[in-house]
Amino acid sequence: MDEKAKKIISEARKSIESVVKLPELEEIRVKYLGKKGEVTQALRSLGEYPEDERPVVGRFLNEARETVKEMIEARRSHIAAIDLENKLKAEDLDITLPGKRPSLGARHPVSVVYEELERIFAHLGFEVLEGPDVELDYNNFEALNVPKNHPSRDIQDTFYITDESVLRTHTTCVDIRIMKNRKPPIRAIIPGKVYRSDASDPSHLPVFHQLDGLVVEEGITFGDVKGVLGMFAHEFFGPDTDVRFRPSYFPFTEPSAEMDVSCVICHGSGCRLCKHTGWLEILGSGLLHPRVLREVGYDPEEVSGLAFGMGIDRVTMLKYGIDDIRLLAENDMAFNQQFIHVW
Amino acid sequence: MLVPYKWLAEYVPGLPPPGDVAEALTLSGTACESMTGEGEDVVFDFEITHDRADCLNIFGIAREAAAVLGLELKHPDLVVNEEGHAVDGLATVKIISPDLCRRYVARVVTEANIRPSPEWMQERLISCGIRPINNVVDITNYVMLELGQPLHAFDLDRIRERTIVVRRARSGESIETIDGETRELSEDMLVIANNRSPVAIAGVMGGIDTEVDESTTQVLIEAAAFDSVSVWRTSRALKMRTEASIRFSGGVWPENARLGVDRAAALMAELKVGKVAEGRVDEYPGLETPVYIRLRPARVNRLLGITIDQDEMKLILMRLGFVLDEWNGDSCRVLVPNHRMDVVQEEDLVEEIARVYGYDKIPPTIPKGVPPEIQLNPERGLVSKVGEVLRGSGLTEVNTMTFTSEAACRGLRLPEEDTERLKVKIKNPITGEHTMLRTTLLVSLVDVLARNASRQRDDVAIYEVGKVFQRQRVEKAEEADKEAHLPHERKMIGLALMGKLQESTWGNQTPDADFFHMKGVIEALFESIGISGYRFEKTTHPSLHPGRTAKVVIGGEDIGYLGELHPVINETLGLKKGAYLAELDLETLLGNVQTDWEVKQLPRFPAVTRDIAVVVQEDVESGRVEDKIWEAGAGLVERVNLFDVYFGPQVPPGHKSLAYSITYRSLDRTLTDEEVEPVHAGIVENLTSGVGASIRS
Ligand SMILES: [Zn+2]
């Protein structure tokens, strides 16, 4: 190659590589490629060469011009990238400033627990059914084997609306509506508000929540009561939960059982929550009383049924370590919003 | 019920230590609630279920313990050392109301010497929660605790003509009871009377006139079997719950009356209270009929889901005091012991067998039947979606009580005549704040706002899905149908916004919620659940700001309303910020949800957007302006977006400027300016003629 062209390229490379600012790079461009630039001048003075060398020298010089142009362009984008990088670095944020959050609301813990229970019982084919809060005395009591004007009415202190209607004391009354309207097989859970004429205190509210369950089909056994409810306890309180069933009394079941689970705090060793028994009472259950079955027109010799009922507020309190039931009804935002993380 | 371990052990020789006893009884249905004291001095507190009045006494618990633990049961000493006169000459008993008194047994003690009872007896009474009085009263209480038979001791000399008459009270009669209170009696109450007037309220409390005191020399001990329902009703009516009334209400069995009176007499003789007269007066009109039940072991096993053999069943029942005939094929006849008033049918025997066999030995199973076909409840799906959307919009769920009061309704300025007409009143409220069921969710939501505001929480955004209640008008034709008398219950969605929906952060000051935030929440909710074709129309509501209230209408049907809480209410409640409330009917919403929805094809041709500023008089609603735009849109308008509302010097006084961005698009071609221009001009023309608008460029 022509010495001149080589020289131009090597000198240009040196100066281009040392340049860090775009204006300087522009100066270099003018110096080599401008109207009066070295390459341009050299091309103009091509006539100084012997005629037979001119095409070769011209080609070398043109090549040198292209090479310098490319080097400058490469350098230009390199510097531009560095400049951008530096500019962006200067735009840094205090990333510890708080984020601008969309606001989100929380579910009420009672709804959280209801939803979880509905999911658990859905696996066993239970349907969710509801009934009225103001219920006929007949459905709430008489049909459930609690006659009018009878000492067994003492079990539940009742708000009366009329002589014939009450604020339901349990959602078990819906069992009667369901059984009167359907034929077995039936599997249903019944959520809803229930009422007792109790004054408010840390463990009582006049309005609280219940989930009742009802299964009626041929061949339901007391073993099924234990199986269905044991499954619920393990799903809800965890697989290591111990479950025990104790004989009890409810007018509408026979045999009747109370289900206890091992204490969620001490796991059985005894603490204040479980009154040092290691057990927590969770729900009442049993096989439907033959009088109830007959009342709804079923033959106790042909079908049997199981029923259970649990207080949702109590279960919610146990699940989240809430020590005063009134918090569930107060709706203090500082309380309700704590449940935003629950899913 | 309190039961000292040592006392219990007297009837069950070889009774295991207290912890084991508590465990065994708890697992067989007599729940031990607590144990106090140490070692032999432990006192159990047992919870006795309502059906087991036979266990409301130490001997009853002993009977259970012996059966459950397979131990021998020792009976109390009933041998009475009688001296002196025959009882027949000393007192007479007449039962006038045998329906309420199945048996009345009496014994008489003469030459009585009233003084304190011995210390051991006093200690036992105290450990069971009963205050010692004197030897006679203490013995009656002791026997009640021991055998469950309530007794009463009369000063026989103070009973006119020494005649006991068991009858219903007469209208206008009253009695001063031993607690010094005068009780007005009614004709359905059973009393013990002399020939003239009552001396005791049967099964509840004795009268002060015939009370045993230091001057008493002759004592009549009463042991009766009063009707449980009658005693229960009387004690409820008089608001007197006594140890006796609790036991009578739970049920007593006539056989126990004789045991009780004899046991008391035996103790009176033993403790030298006086001379026990020979024999007893025993009026027994309601002779017990034995209860027999047919037991089919196969059915027992079928209901329990186990296989216990019939001899084991027999053994269990015999230990509990049941008497079984010989097996007759695959069943046998079972005689129920007198004290087991709760056992009347085969299922009761099933429970007896199961609880002694051990609930824990019954293997858990899952119902074997095919689960029924279930129908998904669309309402629950809707409620779930509504909650999701509202929480995503920043509203927190609340769960309130359904009660309210007339005063709270007045506080919300609800017209009194409406409240009176609609309210479902509670017959026996326990506080003045809970006298009726709410007719609107507003009362509950406002209550939550006020409670939070009182705790310095002024930014509150909440929702609730809950019921409201209204009394039904019952048509003549339905009067016989009890169901028709139940109130109308409706599920509503309630919304409330107060203060900031979102916390202000650095560089981003959020405004307090206003009417349009609430409207926006509702619009977003409707869009997300597939409700369209609704309108907001101006309306009024007694609890809301008269100029800032709207109702939501769909196809002529009201879905609900929204508005600003009336400033007067706001101030009364001490709310520091404006509150916006809404209530929507869930069932109506559900009925208007569009389910036949299809995905639209994506627009393939570009849109043309034109901005337009419409100057109209201030009272022209923007909704009408928007309608005019759509009307003249010739099917090419895709979207109309109001992006600015301006009042001020740029427009004539009494006017406002509404700035819209109108998007035109065709689904099948690229629109040209030449095509859009005439449509846009048509819209301008329609705005000018329709709402008197002038167009600002
Ligand atoms: Zn514990």
Side-chain angles (χ1 to χ4, degrees):
Chain A
M1 190 198 269
D2 179 49
E3 284 306 312
K4 189 156 185 109
K6 275 189 182 167
K7 199 173 155 237
I8 288 172
I9 290 173
S10 81
E11 279 176 4
R13 173 174 290 129
K14 223 184 265 170
S15 49
I16 287 169
E17 280 177 356
S18 63
V19 155
V20 292
K21 288 190 172 137
L22 287 177
E24 288 164 14
L25 190 65
E26 179 60 15
E27 277 169 25
I28 292 170
R29 193 189 66 80
V30 172
K31 183 181 169 207
Y32 288 95
L33 305 176
K35 274 181 189 154
K36 290 174 183 165
E38 283 180 28
V39 181
T40 320
Q41 292 291 356
L43 276 169
R44 265 189 209 146
S45 55
L46 209 57
E48 292 166 12
Y49 287 84
E51 193 147 352
D52 59 334
E53 287 180 23
R54 277 180 215 161
V56 181
V57 176
R59 205 179 72 229
F60 283 148
L61 282 174
N62 271 323
E63 275 175 19
R65 189 176 61 180
E66 286 312 305
T67 306
V68 172
K69 215 177 186 175
E70 277 166 23
M71 287 192 301
I72 289 173
E73 279 318 305
R75 189 65 187 170
R76 190 192 304 283
S77 42
H78 178 71
I79 294 173
I82 290 174
D83 282 359
L84 178 65
E85 196 59 27
N86 287 334
K87 183 171 166 259
L88 293 182
K89 274 182 188 158
E91 288 172 0
D92 76 329
L93 295 177
D94 173 0
I95 52 86
T96 65
L97 282 170
K100 297 174 180 173
R101 304 159 41 140
S103 63
L104 294 174
R107 260 186 310 181
H108 192 278
V110 164
S111 305
V112 175
V113 169
Y114 265 137
E115 268 179 52
E116 184 170 353
L117 294 173
E118 282 178 28
R119 224 166 28 233
I120 291 172
F121 284 105
H123 291 313
L124 287 178
F126 282 73
E127 171 176 6
V128 181
L129 295 171
E130 294 174 88
D133 290 26
V134 180
E135 183 54 283
L136 295 176
D137 186 282
Y138 172 81
N139 288 333
N140 193 77
F141 288 125
E142 290 164 67
L144 290 170
N145 199 24
V146 183
K148 268 191 174 165
N149 289 318
H150 193 270
S152 51
R153 291 258 166 151
D154 272 349
I155 300 177
Q156 294 159 1
D157 293 320
T158 311
F159 284 120
Y160 284 85
I161 299 296
T162 66
D163 289 341
E164 298 295 343
S165 61
V166 301
L167 281 167
R168 63 180 176 193
T169 57
H170 43 205
T171 51
T172 320
C173 48
V174 186
D175 292 7
I176 299 296
R177 290 179 175 269
I178 296 170
M179 289 190 286
K180 285 208 163 177
N181 285 313
R182 297 190 181 196
K183 284 189 165 38
I186 295 168
R187 293 187 188 185
I189 48 171
I190 306 123
K193 280 184 157 65
V194 296
Y195 303 79
R196 306 266 167 98
S197 57
D198 283 330
S200 299
D201 68 29
S203 46
H204 297 90
L205 279 177
V207 187
F208 52 105
H209 302 83
Q210 204 169 25
L211 185 82
D212 256 68
L214 174 70
V215 179
V216 190
E217 56 190 56
E218 217 179 289
I220 286 292
T221 69
F222 190 75
D224 295 338
V225 175
K226 289 186 66 178
V228 168
L229 296 174
M231 185 214 72
F232 143 73
H234 290 134
E235 291 260 340
F236 190 81
F237 291 105
D240 298 332
T241 306
D242 285 332
V243 176
R244 75 174 187 186
F245 289 82
R246 284 183 289 112
S248 189
Y249 168 70
F250 307 103
F252 39 87
T253 51
E254 190 75 40
S256 302
E258 201 103 48
M259 184 178 87
D260 299 339
V261 298
S262 48
C263 179
V264 295
I265 303 282
C266 66
H267 305 288
S269 58
C271 70
R272 228 185 52 168
L273 179 67
C274 58
K275 293 187 200 140
H276 305 281
T277 60
W279 295 99
L280 297 169
E281 202 175 301
I282 294 297
L283 54 77
S285 60
L287 292 181
L288 280 175
H289 197 288
R291 253 179 246 162
V292 175
L293 290 172
R294 276 193 291 270
E295 188 66 37
V296 297
Y298 297 170
D299 181 353
E301 297 287 331
E302 274 172 16
V303 293
S304 49
L306 70 83
F308 59 88
M310 72 180 108
I312 297 305
D313 307 73
R314 176 170 159 75
V315 166
T316 304
M317 290 166 75
L318 291 175
K319 183 146 181 123
Y320 298 113
I322 300 164
D323 59 3
D324 190 329
I325 193 173
R326 291 171 297 189
L327 287 167
L328 296 175
E330 269 185 355
N331 298 294
D332 188 319
M333 287 302 109
F335 175 81
N336 291 38
Q337 280 168 350
Q338 290 181 39
F339 293 87
I340 195 149
H341 68 276
V342 175
W343 54 285
Chain B
M1 197 193 62
L2 297 172
V3 176
Y5 174 77
K6 265 198 247 173
W7 195 353
L8 185 65
E10 280 180 15
Y11 312 110
V12 192
L15 192 67
D20 297 354
V21 174
E23 172 91 0
L25 285 173
T26 297
L27 292 180
S28 61
T30 311
C32 178
E33 297 277 276
S34 71
M35 291 197 282
T36 48
E38 296 292 326
E40 299 264 289
D41 294 321
V42 159
V43 177
F44 304 104
D45 189 358
F46 289 112
E47 186 194 352
I48 310 298
T49 55
H50 275 71
D51 57 332
R52 293 300 304 273
D54 63 298
C55 284
L56 284 172
N57 56 85
I58 314 277
F59 185 69
I61 301 281
R63 197 159 41 205
E64 276 289 305
V68 171
L69 296 163
L71 298 169
E72 186 204 331
L73 179 69
K74 208 179 123 198
H75 288 260
D77 187 4
L78 292 175
V79 179
V80 185
N81 185 10
E82 297 173 331
E83 345 173 37
H85 310 279
V87 75
D88 290 343
L90 296 171
T92 315
V93 172
K94 283 185 216 160
I95 300 178
I96 308 286
S97 307
D99 54 329
L100 302 185
C101 177
R102 290 165 68 191
R103 187 177 194 179
Y104 195 105
V105 195
R107 275 188 178 269
V108 171
V109 176
T110 57
E111 295 172 46
N113 185 359
I114 310 300
R115 51 174 194 272
S117 61
E119 234 165 75
W120 64 265
M121 182 173 276
Q122 293 197 24
E123 272 168 21
R124 280 197 171 172
L125 292 177
I126 290 167
S127 65
C128 292
I130 288 186
R131 193 165 54 92
I133 310 279
N134 58 45
N135 50 2
V136 169
V137 175
D138 289 359
I139 287 170
T140 60
N141 282 332
Y142 184 88
V143 173
M144 175 183 71
L145 292 176
E146 185 182 42
L147 295 177
Q149 173 62 47
L151 301 173
H152 186 67
F154 294 98
D155 184 330
L156 186 54
D157 291 322
R158 297 194 204 156
I159 294 178
R160 261 176 81 90
E161 296 172 29
R162 300 171 158 267
T163 301
I164 295 277
V165 181
V166 185
R167 61 163 168 86
R168 284 180 166 81
R170 296 183 185 124
S171 166
E173 275 185 335
S174 66
I175 181 173
E176 186 181 353
T177 43
I178 54 172
D179 55 5
E181 300 280 326
T182 299
R183 315 282 181 172
E184 305 296 333
L185 303 173
S186 62
E187 286 165 74
D188 53 354
M189 295 175 179
L190 188 71
V191 296
I192 312 304
N194 57 28
N195 271 342
R196 208 175 272 172
S197 54
V199 295
I201 305 169
V204 181
M205 196 180 273
I208 203 161
D209 292 343
T210 53
E211 192 184 8
V212 171
D213 60 22
E214 293 74 27
S215 66
T216 302
T217 57
Q218 293 205 23
V219 177
L220 179 136
I221 311 161
E222 160 201 290
F226 299 124
D227 178 65
S228 67
V229 174
S230 164
V231 173
W232 175 74
R233 294 177 70 165
T234 302
S235 84
R236 261 175 86 96
L238 297 174
K239 297 189 170 62
M240 297 169 77
R241 245 174 84 88
T242 61
E243 292 286 342
S245 77
I246 290 168
R247 286 173 175 78
F248 278 117
S249 300
V252 295
W253 59 107
E255 199 45 39
N256 208 32
R258 187 186 59 81
L259 304 184
V261 82
D262 280 2
R263 177 65 177 150
L267 283 168
M268 298 237 181
E270 188 187 320
L271 301 181
K272 303 198 163 36
V273 174
K275 289 184 176 166
V276 178
E278 190 195 320
R280 29 181 133 74
V281 182
D282 191 353
E283 290 298 311
Y284 197 172
L287 207 60
E288 280 182 275
T289 44
V291 176
Y292 290 101
I293 298 170
R294 191 162 69 103
L295 175 73
R296 293 166 292 173
R299 184 149 191 271
V300 175
N301 283 329
R302 202 164 67 233
L303 283 175
L304 294 178
I306 44 171
T307 43
I308 313 178
D309 79 41
Q310 61 183 43
D311 290 330
E312 188 173 357
M313 292 186 194
K314 182 171 182 170
L315 199 70
I316 288 171
L317 290 174
M318 283 167 58
R319 265 156 62 186
L320 288 165
F322 293 86
V323 179
L324 281 75
D325 290 356
E326 289 303 309
W327 293 106
N328 178 6
D330 50 9
S331 73
C332 96
R333 205 171 70 141
V334 177
L335 174 64
V336 179
N338 290 327
H339 62 273
R340 290 305 302 273
M341 300 160 288
D342 59 314
V343 177
V344 294
Q345 62 204 341
E346 194 177 31
E347 284 78 1
D348 298 325
L349 296 177
V350 173
E351 182 174 271
E352 291 305 300
I353 292 164
R355 73 187 183 90
V356 175
Y357 175 75
Y359 276 13
D360 55 330
K361 286 195 233 155
I362 298 170
T365 49
I366 292 294
K368 289 149 225 45
V370 179
E373 257 181 58
I374 64 172
Q375 295 187 327
L376 287 180
N377 184 335
E379 189 193 277
R380 293 197 82 73
L382 178 64
V383 169
S384 164
K385 177 71 190 266
V386 163
E388 221 171 85
V389 173
L390 292 174
R391 291 193 299 279
S393 309
L395 280 71
T396 285
E397 189 188 17
V398 297
N399 183 333
T400 59
M401 295 204 225
T402 39
F403 292 138
T404 187
S405 66
E406 289 82 354
C409 293
R410 272 198 301 279
L412 276 186
R413 304 163 59 97
L414 298 173
E416 219 138 320
E417 60 274 18
D418 288 357
T419 305
E420 281 311 307
R421 181 167 47 85
L422 297 174
K423 79 175 174 191
V424 176
K425 201 172 157 51
I426 296 162
K427 275 179 84 177
N428 54 335
I430 49 173
T431 86
E433 288 160 40
H434 300 156
T435 55
M436 57 179 274
L437 296 176
R438 64 185 173 200
T439 55
T440 159
L441 285 184
L442 286 193
V443 282
S444 307
L445 295 173
V446 163
D447 191 43
V448 173
L449 294 181
R451 179 170 310 113
N452 278 283
S454 74
R455 298 175 182 179
Q456 282 88 48
R457 292 185 245 295
D458 297 313
D459 301 314
V460 177
I462 52 173
Y463 77 93
E464 173 165 27
V465 179
K467 283 182 179 176
V468 300
F469 303 81
Q470 294 183 350
R471 193 157 72 214
Q472 295 264 57
R473 269 176 72 110
V474 181
E475 305 298 331
K476 261 256 163 348
E478 310 171 317
E479 253 174 26
D481 178 11
K482 286 180 181 175
E483 193 89 19
H485 292 259
L486 292 179
H488 183 43
E489 300 188 4
R490 285 193 301 159
K491 267 195 195 155
M492 309 297 282
I493 304 170
L495 309 169
L497 304 177
M498 177 174 79
K500 296 184 195 311
L501 250 173
Q502 202 163 0
E503 228 181 318
S504 286
T505 48
W506 55 281
N508 183 19
Q509 294 305 308
T510 27
D512 284 346
D514 63 20
F515 179 89
F516 297 101
H517 283 107
M518 178 58 90
K519 188 179 174 190
V521 167
I522 293 172
E523 288 169 338
L525 174 66
F526 283 5
E527 185 173 10
S528 72
I529 57 177
I531 301 270
S532 59
Y534 58 89
R535 293 187 65 89
F536 290 90
E537 290 175 10
K538 251 196 155 165
T539 189
T540 56
H541 185 288
S543 309
L544 301 176
H545 189 303
R548 300 179 181 175
T549 301
K551 62 177 173 175
V552 196
V553 184
I554 186 162
E557 204 176 359
D558 284 0
I559 302 183
Y561 61 88
L562 70 153
E564 180 177 333
L565 183 62
H566 200 291
V568 170
I569 302 173
N570 200 287
E571 174 149 5
T572 316
L573 293 171
L575 306 186
K576 289 176 201 71
K577 295 182 174 180
Y580 297 84
L581 295 145
E583 195 175 22
L584 307 166
D585 185 294
L586 191 71
E587 202 180 315
T588 313
L589 273 184
L590 190 59
N592 284 288
V593 166
Q594 277 168 309
T595 46
D596 54 349
W597 167 91
E598 266 178 29
V599 174
K600 276 191 215 139
Q601 62 164 295
L602 300 183
R604 288 160 56 207
F605 299 95
V608 176
T609 303
R610 292 270 190 283
D611 290 353
I612 185 172
V614 183
V615 178
V616 288
Q617 289 192 333
E618 271 180 19
D619 61 357
V620 175
E621 291 179 343
S622 74
R624 277 184 64 211
V625 175
E626 200 176 306
D627 285 349
K628 293 291 155 198
I629 297 174
W630 285 104
E631 250 172 48
L636 292 181
V637 173
E638 183 187 64
R639 201 171 116 84
V640 178
N641 180 37
L642 177 68
F643 65 89
D644 192 30
V645 178
Y646 174 80
F647 300 86
Q650 308 280 326
V651 294
H655 285 66
K656 63 184 171 187
S657 166
L658 305 171
Y660 290 94
S661 174
I662 304 172
T663 306
Y664 297 91
R665 195 197 298 269
S666 162
L667 287 180
D668 52 17
R669 62 189 187 279
T670 300
L671 288 179
T672 59
D673 283 349
E674 291 71 42
E675 254 181 301
V676 171
E677 221 38 71
V679 179
H680 195 70
I683 288 175
V684 169
E685 164 59 30
N686 202 39
L687 287 168
T688 315
S689 61
V691 290
S694 60
I695 307 304
R696 214 159 53 112
S697 45

